[in-house]
Amino acid sequence: MALLGCSGLVSIEAALSSNAFIEKRIVAFTKSLSYSLESELQKAHLCNRIVACQNPAQWTWSVVAGTLKFARIQAARAVPDRQSDTELAQPALQLQSEENCGALEPVPRDLITLPRPLSITDFSPQPTHGSRLRVAYQGVPGAYSEAAATRAYPNCEAVPCEQFEAAFQAVELWVVDRAVLPIENSLGGSIHRNYDLLLRHRLHIVGEVQFTVHHCLLGLPGMKIGDIRRVVSHPQALAQCENTLSKLGVIREAVDDTAGAAQFISENKLQDTGAVASARAAEIYGLDILADGIQDDSDNVTRFLMLAREPIIPRVDRPFKTSIVFTLEEGPGVLFKALAVFALRDLNLTKIESRPLRKQPLRIVDDSDNGTAKSVYFDYLFFVDFEASMADPRAQNALGHLQEFATFLRVLGSYPMDITPAKPKQP
């Protein structure tokens, strides 16, 4: 196993603290880092990140800090063996060796039909493609999350990820600039996994987008709706089309995501199988739309969060929303007191969600002095959204009041509200 030389990190930090550094000096310091020759992929990590910026004048200290953070993380981990490195060095990444890192060239787009979703083992610096914002989403091309990402950031480069956590880590390690992930659905409720990941990672909510979900039944070209005997899709998508699927009398099978179901049918040429997915998924994977708008409720809206490494500056000239998470001591009326700090200041709560406190899920209290046996309580985290900007004195005073008796309090983000009406698409 090989580790990144920590002494080299000290040298490059010292170099970057000088006001007169230029690109050639940075590359020189990068090349002088003490790497083991065990893994060429690890040697290229930091060098490629620095060379990717063609104009030294565009460097900002946030980019430099992110580069050093990425290098420190790699220094704390054992490097994968050569076989794993080979698997990671996919054509879309094109990480070159140390000797050729100054001539990094992106792979032409016409050689890649669809981007391969990132997994948590794929986090290597990517080739630059100009100034387009790179936005991570969970799923494969054609997923509703991809459509939400492009609505949140028009003209962005949408980057698919296999899991929600992979999208979080992609932002943290500077592989992408933003992530757009679902947090709740008007029919299916909260996406609990992403609430847990918001607490585990240190990303900031910088916006939200509400996206109307419009389901279609897809099949291979030439198939009729009466030919379908089995339908595959995400569990929530299947549940949202319960009435239509029951009338068809088909077998339902759950898979990871809607677009992935369409991809599965297309690649395996499954003639008796349909997928519940978007019209865009049909276009991408060459499928026919057998039935349009098959959801039971047309008001099917998913709320997505926009995540970034740095928070935005709160403002008061437009509607803002603030998301927080806190914990409380056990006791009568404690939650009432916590919510009262908002009601006393006329702050409207738009969401409240509770999640188990994983590190300390149970609390045992001995009440024998009061004549009762030991009591067992479940400890919870409370996620709350309220309509106000952190620049608003009412919000500041409310959180100051809450902090007086909360055992833990963290602001997840203060960001503009999505006030665009999410109207269902007409068939």
Side-chain angles (χ1 to χ4, degrees), residues 137-349:
Y137 68 93
Q138 187 275 329
V140 299
Y144 294 109
S145 293
E146 181 194 33
T150 56
R151 177 177 172 183
Y153 297 102
N155 302 318
C156 72
E157 179 185 355
V159 180
C161 297
E162 288 184 350
Q163 311 96 8
F164 291 130
E165 186 162 16
F168 274 85
Q169 293 190 9
V171 179
E172 287 182 325
L173 297 181
W174 293 77
V175 177
V176 298
D177 305 293
R178 301 284 191 275
V180 174
L181 298 173
I183 196 67
E184 61 178 327
N185 176 265
S186 58
L187 301 180
S190 300
I191 291 88
H192 295 140
R193 175 61 175 165
N194 284 338
Y195 274 106
D196 296 339
L197 291 173
L198 280 173
L199 189 64
R200 182 181 305 174
H201 296 269
R202 299 298 297 185
L203 298 183
H204 301 269
I205 305 174
V206 296
E208 66 175 1
V209 59
Q210 299 186 50
F211 185 81
T212 300
V213 177
H214 186 82
H215 292 309
C216 302
L217 180 61
L218 312 182
L220 290 176
M223 294 294 103
K224 304 297 183 182
I225 194 169
D227 300 327
I228 302 302
R229 298 289 177 264
R230 180 178 62 150
V231 172
V232 295
S233 191
H234 187 275
Q236 281 201 10
L238 295 175
Q240 292 166 7
C241 304
E242 175 69 26
N243 292 340
T244 301
L245 298 180
S246 295
K247 291 178 181 178
L248 293 176
V250 295
I251 300 172
R252 281 152 276 189
E253 294 185 11
V255 294
D256 289 339
D257 59 84
T258 55
Q263 184 183 43
F264 175 74
I265 292 174
S266 176
E267 291 179 349
N268 293 278
K269 307 298 181 184
L270 302 177
Q271 296 186 353
D272 64 341
T273 305
V276 176
S278 66
R280 172 165 164 75
E283 179 183 351
I284 292 176
Y285 301 109
L287 301 179
D288 285 348
I289 298 178
L290 306 182
D292 193 13
I294 64 172
Q295 63 273 6
D296 298 339
D297 193 332
S298 60
D299 294 326
N300 183 4
V301 179
T302 298
R303 176 173 168 247
F304 290 81
L305 297 180
M306 300 148 66
L307 305 175
R309 290 179 291 272
E310 301 294 337
I312 62 173
I313 299 175
R315 297 161 53 180
V316 294
D317 58 347
R318 61 173 297 180
F320 258 65
K321 184 181 291 186
T322 298
S323 297
I324 64 172
V325 57
F326 60 89
T327 57
L328 301 168
E329 288 287 352
E330 182 63 39
V334 177
L335 181 58
F336 171 80
K337 287 173 57 180
L339 300 182
V341 306
F342 303 101
L344 290 172
R345 295 165 178 87
D346 293 325
L347 295 175
N348 182 40
L349 300 185

Side-chain angles (χ1 to χ4, degrees), residues 67-105:
T67 301
L68 294 176
K69 177 182 177 182
F70 179 84
R72 285 197 189 95
I73 293 174
Q74 297 301 323
R77 297 177 178 172
V79 178
D81 57 26
R82 182 169 297 276
Q83 181 180 359
S84 298
D85 290 344
T86 303
E87 293 172 354
L88 291 179
Q90 299 293 333
L93 301 181
Q94 286 293 305
L95 294 178
Q96 299 181 0
S97 63
E98 180 182 2
E99 292 77 8
N100 297 324
C101 66
L104 186 65
E105 296 181 357

